[in-house]
């Protein structure tokens, strides 16, 4: 019986959050698309991807509300990006209204990946979030550094819990929460968190409240959320007789550095200019070269950019062709996903490595995947393993990674976990 429902705004974030429950033994399924929600078998934890990070605010709100409105689970969790991209306030308020929450505890910190909240300000590797690459996100960057500013226009009362409270433990947090709420109206509380212990205090205090609590955070908070009932999850076995296909559509500096560390024999780059004008032809070309690499080496990484100048050149090609930046990014993603689906289908479905949320959902959609069953295992923090449920690649292992996650060896280690050595 499902005891916890998580709603996330993109696929890699869904997997980040789901992994944190699965590694504690809970049977956890991630619904690839919200349209598949009703067809999912019951699990201890159900994670629904609304794919709404870059949607129009009103569309994002509707998707979140729909995902939560049937939720009668004991625990409700709204997963947000650890760099605060997307429709954060709109989605949190939609979730609040759908579940009728009395308290909303907002703690997006993810200490294991360098995301901290101190004095109400959100930091990534010691920098204010708006000063990082996430702050330059082309479509939906974080508009503020301070959590309170995200809710400045909210109709709901907002308070902040500083580190001086969360550092004293869950009893102090719970006491502060109760004292803050003076009437029966919902209260949004943003929380400092610099350590795992701080997130534990927030999670445990929320669980101890007698009122309905909506948790809001990233994979960092998810690892501390308590789920009632016995865990019923099992791990997965990686079938290394399958070939390995990696797909990277991310242009995050972390991912570009990871690609640079991979042998050129193990990767094939998309013809970016062709993808702008003819994504079908670019996908077919990459598919042909990708299949040849798989035949020779047993696997391949298909990727778009390998440095910042690739991004600039691709956008310039779009401008010359009269294609706006949003459509350029869509066409590149479509070409990558088309090629990946062809390569994966060529013979026994391949094991997959996917980085970048838009890329991951595009590839899995083309493979007609319904869900991912999280294994509870990970290459490193934020890079979990799962198995595909349904579709062409049913049973294949998949590793997902957000663009900004991982050290310089993350892609090499991920592909090696799937059986492809970097030679």
């Amino acid at each position: 019986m499902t005891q916890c429902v998580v709603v996330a705004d993109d696929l890699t974030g869904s997997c980040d959050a789901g992994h944190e429950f699965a590694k504690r033994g809970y049977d956890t399924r991630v619904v690839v698309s919200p349209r598949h929600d009703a067809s999912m078998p019951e699990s201890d934890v159900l994670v629904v991807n609304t794919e709404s990070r870059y949607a129009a605010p009103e569309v994002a709100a509707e998707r979140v509300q729909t995902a939560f409105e049937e939720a009668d689970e004991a625990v409700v969790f709204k997963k947000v990006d650890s760099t605060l991209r997307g429709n954060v306030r709109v989605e949190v308020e939609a979730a609040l209204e759908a579940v009728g929450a009395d308290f909303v505890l907002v703690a997006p910190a993810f200490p294991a990946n360098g995301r901290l909240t101190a004095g109400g300000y959100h930091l990534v590797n010691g920098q204010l979030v708006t000063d990082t690459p996430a702050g330059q996100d082309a479509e939906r960057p974080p508009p503020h550094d301070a959590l309170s500013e995200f809710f400045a226009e909210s109709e709901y009362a907002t308070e902040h819990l500083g580190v001086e409270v969360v550092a004293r433990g869950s009893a102090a947090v719970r006491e502060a929460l109760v004292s803050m709420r003076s009437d029966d109206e919902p209260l949004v509380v943003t929380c400092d968190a610099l350590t795992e212990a701080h997130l534990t205090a927030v999670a445990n205090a929320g669980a101890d409240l007698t009122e309905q609590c909506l948790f809001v955070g990233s994979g960092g908070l998810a690892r501390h959320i308590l789920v009632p009932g016995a865990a019923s999850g099992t791990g997965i076995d990686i079938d290394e007789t399958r070939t390995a296909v990696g797909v990277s559509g991310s242009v995050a500096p972390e991912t570009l550095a990871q690609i640079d560390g991979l042998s050129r024999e193990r990767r094939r780059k998309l013809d970016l200019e062709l993808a702008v004008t003819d994504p079908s032809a670019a996908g077919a070309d990459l598919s042909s070269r990708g299949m040849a690499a798989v035949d020779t080496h047993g696997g391949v990484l298909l990727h778009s950019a390998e440095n910042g100048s690739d991004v600039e050149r691709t956008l310039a090609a779009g401008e010359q062709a009269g294609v706006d930046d949003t459509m350029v990014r869509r066409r590149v993603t479509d070409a990558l996903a088309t090629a990946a689906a062809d390569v994966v289908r060529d013979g026994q479905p391949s094991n997959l490595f996917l980085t970048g949320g838009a890329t991951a959902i595009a590839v899995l959609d083309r493979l007609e995947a319904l869900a991912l069953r999280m294994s509870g295992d990970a290459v490193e923090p934020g890079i979990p393993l799962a198995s595909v449920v349904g579709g062409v690649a049913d049973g294949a292992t998949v590793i997902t990674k957000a663009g900004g996650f991982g050290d310089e060896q993350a892609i090499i280690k991920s592909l090696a976990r799937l059986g492809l050595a970097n030679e």
Side-chain angles (χ1 to χ4, degrees):
M1 179 179 177
T2 302
Q3 292 292 333
C4 174
V5 63
V6 180
V7 175
D9 66 352
D10 85 331
L11 185 61
T12 55
S14 298
C15 294
D16 294 341
H19 166 72
E20 299 299 340
F21 293 97
K23 77 178 184 180
R24 287 181 280 154
Y26 295 104
D27 181 20
T28 304
R29 309 290 174 110
V30 172
V31 181
V32 171
S33 168
R35 66 180 178 274
H36 299 315
D37 188 4
S39 62
M40 285 298 101
E42 284 198 344
S43 54
D44 298 334
V45 178
L46 183 68
V47 186
V48 179
N49 168 35
T50 55
E51 201 58 24
S52 54
R53 179 171 299 173
Y54 298 117
E58 62 274 13
V59 173
E62 181 179 2
R63 290 181 188 175
V64 169
Q65 186 149 8
T66 298
F68 270 121
E69 64 187 3
E70 300 298 328
D72 56 1
E73 287 75 16
V75 180
V76 283
F77 185 99
K78 175 67 190 80
K79 196 273 177 190
V80 295
D81 178 45
S82 65
T83 60
L84 302 175
R85 293 170 297 163
N87 295 289
V88 174
R89 178 182 64 82
V90 168
E91 293 199 8
V92 169
E93 290 183 348
L96 184 164
E97 292 160 11
V99 303
D102 301 300
F103 285 96
V104 180
L105 296 187
V106 183
F110 198 158
N113 277 312
R115 280 73 164 151
L116 308 176
T117 307
Y121 288 87
H122 199 60
L123 309 172
V124 176
N125 296 324
Q127 291 183 289
L128 290 169
V129 67
T130 55
D131 292 336
T132 68
Q136 308 307 312
D137 187 89
E139 295 187 68
R140 200 80 73 201
H144 309 287
D145 298 308
L147 291 186
S148 59
E149 289 298 316
F150 280 81
F151 300 96
E153 298 179 8
S154 176
E155 64 180 273
Y156 300 105
T158 305
E159 297 282 355
H160 181 70
L161 273 181
V163 67
E164 72 280 1
V165 177
V166 296
R168 288 163 49 207
S170 60
V173 172
R174 183 183 183 282
E175 181 181 347
L177 292 173
V178 172
S179 67
M180 285 176 175
R181 190 165 179 258
S182 58
D183 53 34
D184 292 332
E185 295 301 311
L187 178 65
V188 177
V189 182
T190 60
C191 304
D192 280 354
L194 288 80
T195 69
E196 298 293 338
H198 296 165
L199 290 173
T200 298
V202 172
N204 289 350
D208 287 342
L209 292 169
T210 57
E211 299 89 346
Q212 174 69 61
C213 179
L214 170 68
F215 294 100
V216 177
S218 65
L221 181 61
R223 67 175 50 179
H224 300 281
I225 298 298
L226 302 175
V227 178
S232 63
T234 56
I236 63 171
D237 295 320
I238 300 176
D239 181 359
E240 292 190 5
T241 65
R242 298 177 187 254
T243 56
V245 175
V247 192
S248 172
S250 173
V251 297
E254 293 86 349
T255 292
L256 298 184
Q258 293 157 10
I259 291 172
D260 188 56
L262 185 67
S263 163
R264 288 192 175 273
E265 293 182 350
R266 296 291 188 272
R267 51 185 164 111
R268 296 294 181 270
K269 183 181 175 184
L270 178 70
D271 185 331
L272 290 164
E273 287 86 352
L274 182 59
V276 170
T277 57
D278 191 343
S280 295
D285 169 67
L286 183 60
S287 170
S288 175
R289 291 185 286 121
M291 288 180 185
V294 170
D295 289 342
T296 303
H297 303 293
V300 67
L301 175 74
L302 308 175
H303 65 102
S304 52
E306 60 187 8
N307 53 53
S309 63
D310 282 336
V311 179
E312 296 170 6
R313 191 173 68 254
T314 306
L315 294 176
E319 184 176 3
Q320 186 174 2
V323 180
D324 67 36
D325 291 358
T326 299
M327 184 56 69
V328 165
R329 286 186 286 271
R330 249 180 233 158
R331 289 183 177 183
V332 168
T333 299
D334 287 346
L336 272 176
T338 296
D342 286 346
V343 176
V344 169
R345 287 189 176 114
D346 188 33
Q348 184 185 30
S350 304
N351 291 326
L352 290 160
F353 165 74
L354 305 172
T355 185
T359 301
I361 187 73
V363 172
L364 291 171
D365 271 349
R366 278 168 176 75
L367 296 173
E368 301 174 346
L370 298 179
L372 302 178
R373 185 168 69 84
M374 304 310 298
S375 71
D377 195 4
V379 175
E380 59 183 62
I383 310 179
L385 282 75
S387 61
V388 178
V389 178
V392 175
D394 184 59
T397 299
V398 59
I399 296 174
T400 57
K401 183 185 82 70
F405 282 4
D407 62 26
E408 289 192 357
Q409 297 289 306
I411 289 180
I412 292 173
K413 289 187 288 188
S414 296
L415 293 173
R417 192 69 180 272
L418 299 177
L420 180 62
N422 184 37
E423 298 177 355

